[in-house]
Every structure is written in C-alpha cells, then in structure tokens.
Amino acid sequence: AQTVTQSQPEMSVQEAETVTLSCTYDTSESDYYLFWYKQPPSRQMILVIRQEAYKQQNATENRFSVNFQKAAKSFSLKISDSQLGDAAMYFCARSLYGQNFVFGPGTRLSVLP
Amino acid sequence: EPEVTQTPSHQVTQMGQEVILRCVPISNHLYFYWYRQILGQKVEFLVSFYNNEISEKSEIFDDQFSVERPDGSNFTLKIRSTKLEDSAMYFCATEQERTEAFFGQGTRLTVV
C-alpha cells in the first residue's frame, strides 16, 4: 500500500525556536511530489512547501525548509523562528504524477509563548 | 491570488437527506478532486475528475456519492442519502497540472 507516515502526533516548540516535523512515505515510483500542508483551527488546507522528487536541492520558503532524503523516503519540515501563528495541524502529502494525493495522519504543532 | 471557493461553509442536514456541496475551481484548472476529513482524522481521498468524467475514486466513494460539473464552472459533490458518519469536512481541490493542488476552505457537513 502507498502510505505516508507522520510518527509525531503532537509536537510543541517555544516561540522563536526551531522545530522539525517528520514524514516518511512509501512509493516505488521515481517521479513524484511531496508537500506539507498546514491546517489551522479554521480547518482550511494551506500549502506550506512542496518538493519535486527529481530535484536534489531542498525546498525553502522563508522560515520553512525541508530535508528531503530520497533514498530513505524521508521528508521532514523544519520551521525556524517559530511564531504563535504557526500553531496548527501539519499534514505531509505525496502526489504521484497523474494520481491523487495521499496524506499522512498529521502532526499537531503547539507554539508556546 | 486565485483561489478555490467552496459553498456553503457549513451545512447541517438531517440523516437521509440529500446534500450538494459546491466548488468553484480556479479558472484554468483541469483536474478536480474531493477529499474529506472526519473530525480528528486524516484527510481522505474521495474522487478525482478530469475531462468531465471520474478518473479515479476511492472505496469511500460508493453509490451514494456522485460528482459533476454541470455548467463548466461549478464542480459539485452530491451525497444522496446522508448518514451520520458522513459528517466531516469536505475539501475541494483543483490543479492546472498534476503537480500542486489548491484547496478550497472546506465545507463542514453535519448530519443530525
């Protein structure tokens, strides 16, 4: 089965500190996309960052960066200088070219003032 | 910035009633999806739609569900006879190419 695993149901971080959320996935394909989505209490789904599997360079978006380890099928999200507004559920997702998204179970991130 | 719009934001319905959830995709997007998220659980794929037909559907998407794009703009999800377990957040997502889905803000469906 094609799965996405997030082993941390909950994480907390002190404001202004750095936190890393883990994600592993299973696929036999070589071409795919990986995403982190943020879901705040409003329950919207907001794209945080995405990574194309064929790119070796890790994606970065302002305070958000990923550590993509293709051989290990690992895709962790690092949030630097955490802010109170970062508190949310974070979902890792994988999309195979031409197929739909598969989401992980999510990690609830709390940011402590 | 273009966005996917879903209506209504919250729908309360009685068990056994039909509901239609609506989604207005980003104008040049070609691929459309419905996902659902039962409270406290992960986001689950329901169905994908391309070129006016279903391209893939999950086990969840049984005969009580249907999708259509009746007027070339709105993309709808119909649940024919709602059950209590259909209570969830329903997300529409659209893509121009199969690389990045833009999600709507979701419709919270409550079946009572």
PDB file of all heavy atoms in Angstrom, chain A residues 33 35 37 39 42-45 47 50 91 98-101 103-105, chain B residues 33 35 37 39 42-43 45 56 89 91 95 98-101 103 105 108:
ATOM      1  N   TYR A  33       5.822  14.084  -6.174  1.00  0.00           N
ATOM      2  CA  TYR A  33       5.897  15.362  -5.481  1.00  0.00           C
ATOM      3  C   TYR A  33       5.554  15.152  -4.013  1.00  0.00           C
ATOM      4  O   TYR A  33       4.734  14.303  -3.665  1.00  0.00           O
ATOM      5  CB  TYR A  33       4.923  16.374  -6.092  1.00  0.00           C
ATOM      6  CG  TYR A  33       5.238  16.728  -7.509  1.00  0.00           C
ATOM      7  CD1 TYR A  33       4.828  15.916  -8.560  1.00  0.00           C
ATOM      8  CD2 TYR A  33       5.965  17.874  -7.816  1.00  0.00           C
ATOM      9  CE1 TYR A  33       5.132  16.232  -9.876  1.00  0.00           C
ATOM     10  CE2 TYR A  33       6.273  18.200  -9.132  1.00  0.00           C
ATOM     11  CZ  TYR A  33       5.857  17.378 -10.149  1.00  0.00           C
ATOM     12  OH  TYR A  33       6.153  17.696 -11.439  1.00  0.00           O
ATOM     13  N   PHE A  35       4.607  17.311  -0.306  1.00  0.00           N
ATOM     14  CA  PHE A  35       4.040  18.573   0.157  1.00  0.00           C
ATOM     15  C   PHE A  35       3.908  18.568   1.673  1.00  0.00           C
ATOM     16  O   PHE A  35       3.734  17.526   2.296  1.00  0.00           O
ATOM     17  CB  PHE A  35       2.627  18.775  -0.418  1.00  0.00           C
ATOM     18  CG  PHE A  35       2.550  18.712  -1.914  1.00  0.00           C
ATOM     19  CD1 PHE A  35       2.480  17.489  -2.567  1.00  0.00           C
ATOM     20  CD2 PHE A  35       2.538  19.868  -2.670  1.00  0.00           C
ATOM     21  CE1 PHE A  35       2.403  17.419  -3.942  1.00  0.00           C
ATOM     22  CE2 PHE A  35       2.452  19.811  -4.052  1.00  0.00           C
ATOM     23  CZ  PHE A  35       2.384  18.586  -4.688  1.00  0.00           C
ATOM     24  N   TYR A  37       1.223  20.576   4.145  1.00  0.00           N
ATOM     25  CA  TYR A  37       0.072  21.447   4.245  1.00  0.00           C
ATOM     26  C   TYR A  37      -0.157  21.792   5.711  1.00  0.00           C
ATOM     27  O   TYR A  37      -0.005  20.957   6.596  1.00  0.00           O
ATOM     28  CB  TYR A  37      -1.189  20.778   3.688  1.00  0.00           C
ATOM     29  CG  TYR A  37      -1.282  20.806   2.181  1.00  0.00           C
ATOM     30  CD1 TYR A  37      -0.755  19.772   1.422  1.00  0.00           C
ATOM     31  CD2 TYR A  37      -1.895  21.865   1.518  1.00  0.00           C
ATOM     32  CE1 TYR A  37      -0.840  19.790   0.042  1.00  0.00           C
ATOM     33  CE2 TYR A  37      -1.979  21.891   0.131  1.00  0.00           C
ATOM     34  CZ  TYR A  37      -1.443  20.855  -0.597  1.00  0.00           C
ATOM     35  OH  TYR A  37      -1.524  20.872  -1.966  1.00  0.00           O
ATOM     36  N   GLN A  39      -2.945  23.095   8.481  1.00  0.00           N
ATOM     37  CA  GLN A  39      -4.380  23.212   8.708  1.00  0.00           C
ATOM     38  C   GLN A  39      -4.609  23.914  10.045  1.00  0.00           C
ATOM     39  O   GLN A  39      -4.514  23.312  11.104  1.00  0.00           O
ATOM     40  CB  GLN A  39      -5.050  21.835   8.713  1.00  0.00           C
ATOM     41  CG  GLN A  39      -6.568  21.934   8.742  1.00  0.00           C
ATOM     42  CD  GLN A  39      -7.247  20.583   8.769  1.00  0.00           C
ATOM     43  OE1 GLN A  39      -6.922  19.730   9.587  1.00  0.00           O
ATOM     44  NE2 GLN A  39      -8.180  20.366   7.866  1.00  0.00           N
ATOM     45  N   SER A  42      -9.261  26.941  11.661  1.00  0.00           N
ATOM     46  CA  SER A  42     -10.323  27.145  10.681  1.00  0.00           C
ATOM     47  C   SER A  42     -10.508  25.939   9.781  1.00  0.00           C
ATOM     48  O   SER A  42     -11.507  25.841   9.046  1.00  0.00           O
ATOM     49  CB  SER A  42     -10.003  28.366   9.819  1.00  0.00           C
ATOM     50  OG  SER A  42      -8.842  28.110   9.020  1.00  0.00           O
ATOM     51  N   ARG A  43      -9.567  25.004   9.798  1.00  0.00           N
ATOM     52  CA  ARG A  43      -9.589  23.749   9.042  1.00  0.00           C
ATOM     53  C   ARG A  43      -9.406  23.927   7.544  1.00  0.00           C
ATOM     54  O   ARG A  43      -9.675  23.017   6.779  1.00  0.00           O
ATOM     55  CB  ARG A  43     -10.827  22.929   9.360  1.00  0.00           C
ATOM     56  CG  ARG A  43     -10.880  22.529  10.831  1.00  0.00           C
ATOM     57  CD  ARG A  43     -11.974  21.532  11.121  1.00  0.00           C
ATOM     58  NE  ARG A  43     -11.626  20.206  10.619  1.00  0.00           N
ATOM     59  CZ  ARG A  43     -12.472  19.172  10.616  1.00  0.00           C
ATOM     60  NH1 ARG A  43     -13.687  19.320  11.069  1.00  0.00           N
ATOM     61  NH2 ARG A  43     -12.089  18.005  10.140  1.00  0.00           N
ATOM     62  N   GLN A  44      -8.933  25.090   7.148  1.00  0.00           N
ATOM     63  CA  GLN A  44      -8.507  25.208   5.752  1.00  0.00           C
ATOM     64  C   GLN A  44      -7.257  24.374   5.538  1.00  0.00           C
ATOM     65  O   GLN A  44      -6.611  23.939   6.494  1.00  0.00           O
ATOM     66  CB  GLN A  44      -8.189  26.669   5.428  1.00  0.00           C
ATOM     67  CG  GLN A  44      -9.391  27.577   5.469  1.00  0.00           C
ATOM     68  CD  GLN A  44      -9.028  28.974   5.023  1.00  0.00           C
ATOM     69  OE1 GLN A  44      -8.433  29.180   3.977  1.00  0.00           O
ATOM     70  NE2 GLN A  44      -9.366  29.962   5.813  1.00  0.00           N
ATOM     71  N   MET A  45      -6.919  24.146   4.291  1.00  0.00           N
ATOM     72  CA  MET A  45      -5.682  23.439   3.945  1.00  0.00           C
ATOM     73  C   MET A  45      -4.803  24.426   3.181  1.00  0.00           C
ATOM     74  O   MET A  45      -5.145  24.850   2.087  1.00  0.00           O
ATOM     75  CB  MET A  45      -5.971  22.219   3.072  1.00  0.00           C
ATOM     76  CG  MET A  45      -6.758  21.135   3.779  1.00  0.00           C
ATOM     77  SD  MET A  45      -5.760  20.260   4.984  1.00  0.00           S
ATOM     78  CE  MET A  45      -4.854  19.174   3.904  1.00  0.00           C
ATOM     79  N   LEU A  47      -1.087  25.332   1.600  1.00  0.00           N
ATOM     80  CA  LEU A  47       0.192  24.781   1.171  1.00  0.00           C
ATOM     81  C   LEU A  47       1.331  25.547   1.830  1.00  0.00           C
ATOM     82  O   LEU A  47       1.395  26.766   1.764  1.00  0.00           O
ATOM     83  CB  LEU A  47       0.321  24.867  -0.351  1.00  0.00           C
ATOM     84  CG  LEU A  47       1.647  24.361  -0.918  1.00  0.00           C
ATOM     85  CD1 LEU A  47       1.803  22.866  -0.683  1.00  0.00           C
ATOM     86  CD2 LEU A  47       1.729  24.681  -2.410  1.00  0.00           C
ATOM     87  N   ARG A  50       6.534  22.646  -1.124  1.00  0.00           N
ATOM     88  CA  ARG A  50       6.486  21.441  -1.926  1.00  0.00           C
ATOM     89  C   ARG A  50       7.868  21.134  -2.476  1.00  0.00           C
ATOM     90  O   ARG A  50       8.723  22.008  -2.581  1.00  0.00           O
ATOM     91  CB  ARG A  50       5.488  21.580  -3.059  1.00  0.00           C
ATOM     92  CG  ARG A  50       5.958  22.452  -4.214  1.00  0.00           C
ATOM     93  CD  ARG A  50       5.044  22.314  -5.388  1.00  0.00           C
ATOM     94  NE  ARG A  50       5.593  22.990  -6.556  1.00  0.00           N
ATOM     95  CZ  ARG A  50       5.186  22.788  -7.787  1.00  0.00           C
ATOM     96  NH1 ARG A  50       4.218  21.931  -8.022  1.00  0.00           N
ATOM     97  NH2 ARG A  50       5.721  23.423  -8.794  1.00  0.00           N
ATOM     98  N   PHE A  91       0.112  18.479   7.743  1.00  0.00           N
ATOM     99  CA  PHE A  91      -0.043  17.232   7.010  1.00  0.00           C
ATOM    100  C   PHE A  91       1.027  17.124   5.936  1.00  0.00           C
ATOM    101  O   PHE A  91       1.221  18.041   5.133  1.00  0.00           O
ATOM    102  CB  PHE A  91      -1.423  17.149   6.342  1.00  0.00           C
ATOM    103  CG  PHE A  91      -2.554  16.986   7.300  1.00  0.00           C
ATOM    104  CD1 PHE A  91      -3.268  18.092   7.739  1.00  0.00           C
ATOM    105  CD2 PHE A  91      -2.916  15.731   7.764  1.00  0.00           C
ATOM    106  CE1 PHE A  91      -4.326  17.954   8.631  1.00  0.00           C
ATOM    107  CE2 PHE A  91      -3.970  15.576   8.649  1.00  0.00           C
ATOM    108  CZ  PHE A  91      -4.670  16.689   9.088  1.00  0.00           C
ATOM    109  N   GLY A  98       0.184  12.248 -12.098  1.00  0.00           N
ATOM    110  CA  GLY A  98      -1.028  11.694 -12.682  1.00  0.00           C
ATOM    111  C   GLY A  98      -1.951  11.032 -11.682  1.00  0.00           C
ATOM    112  O   GLY A  98      -2.962  10.472 -12.069  1.00  0.00           O
ATOM    113  N   GLN A  99      -1.636  11.095 -10.389  1.00  0.00           N
ATOM    114  CA  GLN A  99      -2.514  10.483  -9.390  1.00  0.00           C
ATOM    115  C   GLN A  99      -2.782  11.462  -8.265  1.00  0.00           C
ATOM    116  O   GLN A  99      -2.189  12.509  -8.164  1.00  0.00           O
ATOM    117  CB  GLN A  99      -1.870   9.219  -8.842  1.00  0.00           C
ATOM    118  CG  GLN A  99      -1.705   8.116  -9.869  1.00  0.00           C
ATOM    119  CD  GLN A  99      -1.157   6.860  -9.251  1.00  0.00           C
ATOM    120  OE1 GLN A  99      -1.420   6.551  -8.083  1.00  0.00           O
ATOM    121  NE2 GLN A  99      -0.393   6.115 -10.008  1.00  0.00           N
ATOM    122  N   ASN A 100      -3.711  11.063  -7.435  1.00  0.00           N
ATOM    123  CA  ASN A 100      -4.157  11.968  -6.384  1.00  0.00           C
ATOM    124  C   ASN A 100      -3.182  12.002  -5.213  1.00  0.00           C
ATOM    125  O   ASN A 100      -2.189  11.293  -5.164  1.00  0.00           O
ATOM    126  CB  ASN A 100      -5.523  11.513  -5.887  1.00  0.00           C
ATOM    127  CG  ASN A 100      -5.445  10.129  -5.282  1.00  0.00           C
ATOM    128  OD1 ASN A 100      -4.993   9.970  -4.159  1.00  0.00           O
ATOM    129  ND2 ASN A 100      -5.879   9.130  -6.012  1.00  0.00           N
ATOM    130  N   PHE A 101      -3.529  12.839  -4.265  1.00  0.00           N
ATOM    131  CA  PHE A 101      -2.723  13.000  -3.068  1.00  0.00           C
ATOM    132  C   PHE A 101      -3.024  11.911  -2.056  1.00  0.00           C
ATOM    133  O   PHE A 101      -4.159  11.491  -1.886  1.00  0.00           O
ATOM    134  CB  PHE A 101      -3.044  14.340  -2.404  1.00  0.00           C
ATOM    135  CG  PHE A 101      -2.409  15.516  -3.074  1.00  0.00           C
ATOM    136  CD1 PHE A 101      -2.726  15.855  -4.371  1.00  0.00           C
ATOM    137  CD2 PHE A 101      -1.499  16.307  -2.394  1.00  0.00           C
ATOM    138  CE1 PHE A 101      -2.142  16.941  -4.990  1.00  0.00           C
ATOM    139  CE2 PHE A 101      -0.922  17.397  -3.008  1.00  0.00           C
ATOM    140  CZ  PHE A 101      -1.245  17.710  -4.298  1.00  0.00           C
ATOM    141  N   PHE A 103      -2.360  11.602   2.053  1.00  0.00           N
ATOM    142  CA  PHE A 103      -1.962  12.409   3.199  1.00  0.00           C
ATOM    143  C   PHE A 103      -1.528  11.536   4.362  1.00  0.00           C
ATOM    144  O   PHE A 103      -2.051  10.440   4.566  1.00  0.00           O
ATOM    145  CB  PHE A 103      -3.137  13.281   3.669  1.00  0.00           C
ATOM    146  CG  PHE A 103      -3.460  14.421   2.749  1.00  0.00           C
ATOM    147  CD1 PHE A 103      -4.295  14.243   1.667  1.00  0.00           C
ATOM    148  CD2 PHE A 103      -2.930  15.685   2.983  1.00  0.00           C
ATOM    149  CE1 PHE A 103      -4.602  15.291   0.813  1.00  0.00           C
ATOM    150  CE2 PHE A 103      -3.232  16.743   2.140  1.00  0.00           C
ATOM    151  CZ  PHE A 103      -4.064  16.539   1.060  1.00  0.00           C
ATOM    152  N   GLY A 104      -0.602  12.040   5.140  1.00  0.00           N
ATOM    153  CA  GLY A 104      -0.267  11.427   6.410  1.00  0.00           C
ATOM    154  C   GLY A 104      -1.330  11.755   7.452  1.00  0.00           C
ATOM    155  O   GLY A 104      -2.248  12.535   7.192  1.00  0.00           O
ATOM    156  N   PRO A 105      -1.212  11.192   8.632  1.00  0.00           N
ATOM    157  CA  PRO A 105      -2.228  11.391   9.677  1.00  0.00           C
ATOM    158  C   PRO A 105      -2.146  12.748  10.359  1.00  0.00           C
ATOM    159  O   PRO A 105      -3.046  13.115  11.104  1.00  0.00           O
ATOM    160  CB  PRO A 105      -1.927  10.270  10.675  1.00  0.00           C
ATOM    161  CG  PRO A 105      -0.474   9.984  10.482  1.00  0.00           C
ATOM    162  CD  PRO A 105      -0.190  10.215   9.031  1.00  0.00           C
TER     163      PRO A 105
ATOM    164  N   TYR B  33     -10.775  17.483  -7.515  1.00  0.00           N
ATOM    165  CA  TYR B  33     -10.787  16.427  -6.506  1.00  0.00           C
ATOM    166  C   TYR B  33     -11.732  16.783  -5.359  1.00  0.00           C
ATOM    167  O   TYR B  33     -11.946  17.951  -5.065  1.00  0.00           O
ATOM    168  CB  TYR B  33      -9.392  16.254  -5.880  1.00  0.00           C
ATOM    169  CG  TYR B  33      -8.267  16.104  -6.861  1.00  0.00           C
ATOM    170  CD1 TYR B  33      -7.606  17.228  -7.355  1.00  0.00           C
ATOM    171  CD2 TYR B  33      -7.863  14.854  -7.298  1.00  0.00           C
ATOM    172  CE1 TYR B  33      -6.568  17.102  -8.267  1.00  0.00           C
ATOM    173  CE2 TYR B  33      -6.813  14.714  -8.199  1.00  0.00           C
ATOM    174  CZ  TYR B  33      -6.179  15.845  -8.675  1.00  0.00           C
ATOM    175  OH  TYR B  33      -5.147  15.715  -9.576  1.00  0.00           O
ATOM    176  N   TYR B  35     -11.957  15.630  -1.254  1.00  0.00           N
ATOM    177  CA  TYR B  35     -11.391  14.930  -0.120  1.00  0.00           C
ATOM    178  C   TYR B  35     -12.320  15.160   1.068  1.00  0.00           C
ATOM    179  O   TYR B  35     -13.074  16.132   1.099  1.00  0.00           O
ATOM    180  CB  TYR B  35     -10.006  15.474   0.245  1.00  0.00           C
ATOM    181  CG  TYR B  35      -8.934  15.210  -0.781  1.00  0.00           C
ATOM    182  CD1 TYR B  35      -8.796  16.025  -1.893  1.00  0.00           C
ATOM    183  CD2 TYR B  35      -8.065  14.144  -0.629  1.00  0.00           C
ATOM    184  CE1 TYR B  35      -7.808  15.789  -2.842  1.00  0.00           C
ATOM    185  CE2 TYR B  35      -7.067  13.902  -1.567  1.00  0.00           C
ATOM    186  CZ  TYR B  35      -6.949  14.727  -2.664  1.00  0.00           C
ATOM    187  OH  TYR B  35      -5.968  14.491  -3.587  1.00  0.00           O
ATOM    188  N   GLN B  37     -12.440  14.937   5.545  1.00  0.00           N
ATOM    189  CA  GLN B  37     -11.689  14.776   6.784  1.00  0.00           C
ATOM    190  C   GLN B  37     -12.682  14.672   7.928  1.00  0.00           C
ATOM    191  O   GLN B  37     -13.298  15.669   8.322  1.00  0.00           O
ATOM    192  CB  GLN B  37     -10.733  15.942   7.011  1.00  0.00           C
ATOM    193  CG  GLN B  37      -9.839  15.755   8.231  1.00  0.00           C
ATOM    194  CD  GLN B  37      -9.031  16.997   8.534  1.00  0.00           C
ATOM    195  OE1 GLN B  37      -9.453  18.110   8.278  1.00  0.00           O
ATOM    196  NE2 GLN B  37      -7.846  16.803   9.087  1.00  0.00           N
ATOM    197  N   LEU B  39     -13.626  14.522  11.706  1.00  0.00           N
ATOM    198  CA  LEU B  39     -13.001  15.259  12.799  1.00  0.00           C
ATOM    199  C   LEU B  39     -11.949  14.417  13.505  1.00  0.00           C
ATOM    200  O   LEU B  39     -12.238  13.298  13.948  1.00  0.00           O
ATOM    201  CB  LEU B  39     -14.073  15.714  13.785  1.00  0.00           C
ATOM    202  CG  LEU B  39     -13.583  16.604  14.933  1.00  0.00           C
ATOM    203  CD1 LEU B  39     -13.037  17.912  14.401  1.00  0.00           C
ATOM    204  CD2 LEU B  39     -14.704  16.839  15.933  1.00  0.00           C
ATOM    205  N   LYS B  42      -7.361  11.788   9.471  1.00  0.00           N
ATOM    206  CA  LYS B  42      -6.581  12.344   8.376  1.00  0.00           C
ATOM    207  C   LYS B  42      -7.456  12.640   7.162  1.00  0.00           C
ATOM    208  O   LYS B  42      -8.607  12.242   7.081  1.00  0.00           O
ATOM    209  CB  LYS B  42      -5.439  11.412   8.005  1.00  0.00           C
ATOM    210  CG  LYS B  42      -5.833  10.099   7.351  1.00  0.00           C
ATOM    211  CD  LYS B  42      -4.580   9.337   6.979  1.00  0.00           C
ATOM    212  CE  LYS B  42      -4.899   8.047   6.265  1.00  0.00           C
ATOM    213  NZ  LYS B  42      -3.664   7.309   5.896  1.00  0.00           N
ATOM    214  N   VAL B  43      -6.873  13.349   6.235  1.00  0.00           N
ATOM    215  CA  VAL B  43      -7.568  13.731   5.018  1.00  0.00           C
ATOM    216  C   VAL B  43      -7.619  12.518   4.085  1.00  0.00           C
ATOM    217  O   VAL B  43      -6.599  11.906   3.787  1.00  0.00           O
ATOM    218  CB  VAL B  43      -6.835  14.907   4.340  1.00  0.00           C
ATOM    219  CG1 VAL B  43      -7.587  15.359   3.100  1.00  0.00           C
ATOM    220  CG2 VAL B  43      -6.666  16.058   5.315  1.00  0.00           C
ATOM    221  N   PHE B  45      -8.891  10.760   0.393  1.00  0.00           N
ATOM    222  CA  PHE B  45      -9.281  10.981  -0.992  1.00  0.00           C
ATOM    223  C   PHE B  45     -10.646  10.356  -1.271  1.00  0.00           C
ATOM    224  O   PHE B  45     -10.923   9.226  -0.863  1.00  0.00           O
ATOM    225  CB  PHE B  45      -8.220  10.378  -1.902  1.00  0.00           C
ATOM    226  CG  PHE B  45      -8.613  10.269  -3.348  1.00  0.00           C
ATOM    227  CD1 PHE B  45      -8.693  11.399  -4.146  1.00  0.00           C
ATOM    228  CD2 PHE B  45      -8.895   9.037  -3.910  1.00  0.00           C
ATOM    229  CE1 PHE B  45      -9.049  11.308  -5.475  1.00  0.00           C
ATOM    230  CE2 PHE B  45      -9.239   8.924  -5.241  1.00  0.00           C
ATOM    231  CZ  PHE B  45      -9.314  10.059  -6.036  1.00  0.00           C
ATOM    232  N   GLU B  56     -10.651   8.624 -11.078  1.00  0.00           N
ATOM    233  CA  GLU B  56     -10.312   7.691 -10.018  1.00  0.00           C
ATOM    234  C   GLU B  56     -11.243   7.925  -8.836  1.00  0.00           C
ATOM    235  O   GLU B  56     -11.664   9.055  -8.604  1.00  0.00           O
ATOM    236  CB  GLU B  56      -8.861   7.899  -9.576  1.00  0.00           C
ATOM    237  CG  GLU B  56      -8.297   6.822  -8.681  1.00  0.00           C
ATOM    238  CD  GLU B  56      -6.820   7.033  -8.378  1.00  0.00           C
ATOM    239  OE1 GLU B  56      -6.207   7.965  -8.947  1.00  0.00           O
ATOM    240  OE2 GLU B  56      -6.279   6.272  -7.574  1.00  0.00           O
ATOM    241  N   MET B  89     -15.463  17.316   7.290  1.00  0.00           N
ATOM    242  CA  MET B  89     -15.070  18.469   6.498  1.00  0.00           C
ATOM    243  C   MET B  89     -14.799  17.956   5.096  1.00  0.00           C
ATOM    244  O   MET B  89     -14.062  16.972   4.928  1.00  0.00           O
ATOM    245  CB  MET B  89     -13.804  19.093   7.097  1.00  0.00           C
ATOM    246  CG  MET B  89     -13.524  20.478   6.646  1.00  0.00           C
ATOM    247  SD  MET B  89     -14.549  21.668   7.531  1.00  0.00           S
ATOM    248  CE  MET B  89     -13.743  23.180   7.002  1.00  0.00           C
ATOM    249  N   PHE B  91     -13.298  18.828   1.393  1.00  0.00           N
ATOM    250  CA  PHE B  91     -12.422  19.762   0.695  1.00  0.00           C
ATOM    251  C   PHE B  91     -12.463  19.492  -0.797  1.00  0.00           C
ATOM    252  O   PHE B  91     -12.341  18.352  -1.244  1.00  0.00           O
ATOM    253  CB  PHE B  91     -10.978  19.615   1.163  1.00  0.00           C
ATOM    254  CG  PHE B  91     -10.729  20.064   2.567  1.00  0.00           C
ATOM    255  CD1 PHE B  91     -10.659  19.143   3.601  1.00  0.00           C
ATOM    256  CD2 PHE B  91     -10.559  21.407   2.858  1.00  0.00           C
ATOM    257  CE1 PHE B  91     -10.429  19.543   4.902  1.00  0.00           C
ATOM    258  CE2 PHE B  91     -10.325  21.823   4.159  1.00  0.00           C
ATOM    259  CZ  PHE B  91     -10.263  20.894   5.182  1.00  0.00           C
ATOM    260  N   GLU B  95      -6.305  21.474  -9.771  1.00  0.00           N
ATOM    261  CA  GLU B  95      -4.950  21.581 -10.303  1.00  0.00           C
ATOM    262  C   GLU B  95      -4.991  21.978 -11.766  1.00  0.00           C
ATOM    263  O   GLU B  95      -5.871  21.547 -12.512  1.00  0.00           O
ATOM    264  CB  GLU B  95      -4.215  20.238 -10.224  1.00  0.00           C
ATOM    265  CG  GLU B  95      -3.814  19.781  -8.857  1.00  0.00           C
ATOM    266  CD  GLU B  95      -3.069  18.457  -8.918  1.00  0.00           C
ATOM    267  OE1 GLU B  95      -3.583  17.527  -9.561  1.00  0.00           O
ATOM    268  OE2 GLU B  95      -1.985  18.361  -8.328  1.00  0.00           O
ATOM    269  N   ARG B  98      -0.751  18.178 -12.878  1.00  0.00           N
ATOM    270  CA  ARG B  98      -0.796  17.275 -11.743  1.00  0.00           C
ATOM    271  C   ARG B  98       0.408  17.469 -10.833  1.00  0.00           C
ATOM    272  O   ARG B  98       1.161  16.562 -10.546  1.00  0.00           O
ATOM    273  CB  ARG B  98      -0.858  15.833 -12.237  1.00  0.00           C
ATOM    274  CG  ARG B  98      -2.015  15.546 -13.165  1.00  0.00           C
ATOM    275  CD  ARG B  98      -3.361  15.786 -12.522  1.00  0.00           C
ATOM    276  NE  ARG B  98      -3.674  14.788 -11.519  1.00  0.00           N
ATOM    277  CZ  ARG B  98      -4.375  13.693 -11.755  1.00  0.00           C
ATOM    278  NH1 ARG B  98      -4.818  13.434 -12.955  1.00  0.00           N
ATOM    279  NH2 ARG B  98      -4.636  12.840 -10.789  1.00  0.00           N
ATOM    280  N   THR B  99       0.605  18.709 -10.365  1.00  0.00           N
ATOM    281  CA  THR B  99       1.781  18.991  -9.560  1.00  0.00           C
ATOM    282  C   THR B  99       1.497  19.723  -8.260  1.00  0.00           C
ATOM    283  O   THR B  99       2.283  19.652  -7.341  1.00  0.00           O
ATOM    284  CB  THR B  99       2.785  19.839 -10.363  1.00  0.00           C
ATOM    285  OG1 THR B  99       2.133  21.053 -10.752  1.00  0.00           O
ATOM    286  CG2 THR B  99       3.287  19.096 -11.574  1.00  0.00           C
ATOM    287  N   GLU B 100       0.420  20.432  -8.191  1.00  0.00           N
ATOM    288  CA  GLU B 100       0.129  21.188  -6.971  1.00  0.00           C
ATOM    289  C   GLU B 100      -1.356  21.428  -6.870  1.00  0.00           C
ATOM    290  O   GLU B 100      -1.935  22.101  -7.724  1.00  0.00           O
ATOM    291  CB  GLU B 100       0.858  22.519  -6.973  1.00  0.00           C
ATOM    292  CG  GLU B 100       0.542  23.379  -5.741  1.00  0.00           C
ATOM    293  CD  GLU B 100       1.233  24.718  -5.774  1.00  0.00           C
ATOM    294  OE1 GLU B 100       2.195  24.876  -6.553  1.00  0.00           O
ATOM    295  OE2 GLU B 100       0.804  25.624  -5.046  1.00  0.00           O
ATOM    296  N   ALA B 101      -1.964  20.889  -5.844  1.00  0.00           N
ATOM    297  CA  ALA B 101      -3.396  21.079  -5.653  1.00  0.00           C
ATOM    298  C   ALA B 101      -3.652  22.323  -4.815  1.00  0.00           C
ATOM    299  O   ALA B 101      -2.994  22.547  -3.806  1.00  0.00           O
ATOM    300  CB  ALA B 101      -4.005  19.863  -4.974  1.00  0.00           C
ATOM    301  N   PHE B 103      -6.422  23.982  -2.512  1.00  0.00           N
ATOM    302  CA  PHE B 103      -7.588  23.544  -1.762  1.00  0.00           C
ATOM    303  C   PHE B 103      -8.525  24.708  -1.486  1.00  0.00           C
ATOM    304  O   PHE B 103      -8.085  25.829  -1.230  1.00  0.00           O
ATOM    305  CB  PHE B 103      -7.156  22.929  -0.432  1.00  0.00           C
ATOM    306  CG  PHE B 103      -6.617  21.539  -0.560  1.00  0.00           C
ATOM    307  CD1 PHE B 103      -5.298  21.319  -0.930  1.00  0.00           C
ATOM    308  CD2 PHE B 103      -7.428  20.444  -0.306  1.00  0.00           C
ATOM    309  CE1 PHE B 103      -4.796  20.034  -1.046  1.00  0.00           C
ATOM    310  CE2 PHE B 103      -6.934  19.151  -0.422  1.00  0.00           C
ATOM    311  CZ  PHE B 103      -5.624  18.942  -0.791  1.00  0.00           C
ATOM    312  N   GLN B 105     -11.568  26.260   1.063  1.00  0.00           N
ATOM    313  CA  GLN B 105     -11.575  26.429   2.520  1.00  0.00           C
ATOM    314  C   GLN B 105     -12.366  25.342   3.220  1.00  0.00           C
ATOM    315  O   GLN B 105     -12.366  25.251   4.439  1.00  0.00           O
ATOM    316  CB  GLN B 105     -12.114  27.818   2.900  1.00  0.00           C
ATOM    317  CG  GLN B 105     -13.618  27.956   2.857  1.00  0.00           C
ATOM    318  CD  GLN B 105     -14.170  28.209   1.465  1.00  0.00           C
ATOM    319  OE1 GLN B 105     -13.534  27.919   0.448  1.00  0.00           O
ATOM    320  NE2 GLN B 105     -15.359  28.767   1.400  1.00  0.00           N
ATOM    321  N   ARG B 108     -18.022  22.276   6.062  1.00  0.00           N
ATOM    322  CA  ARG B 108     -18.258  21.413   7.222  1.00  0.00           C
ATOM    323  C   ARG B 108     -19.672  20.856   7.111  1.00  0.00           C
ATOM    324  O   ARG B 108     -20.652  21.611   7.155  1.00  0.00           O
ATOM    325  CB  ARG B 108     -18.102  22.200   8.516  1.00  0.00           C
ATOM    326  CG  ARG B 108     -18.186  21.346   9.775  1.00  0.00           C
ATOM    327  CD  ARG B 108     -18.228  22.231  11.015  1.00  0.00           C
ATOM    328  NE  ARG B 108     -17.063  23.101  11.083  1.00  0.00           N
ATOM    329  CZ  ARG B 108     -15.913  22.756  11.638  1.00  0.00           C
ATOM    330  NH1 ARG B 108     -15.780  21.571  12.195  1.00  0.00           N
ATOM    331  NH2 ARG B 108     -14.898  23.606  11.667  1.00  0.00           N
TER     332      ARG B 108
END
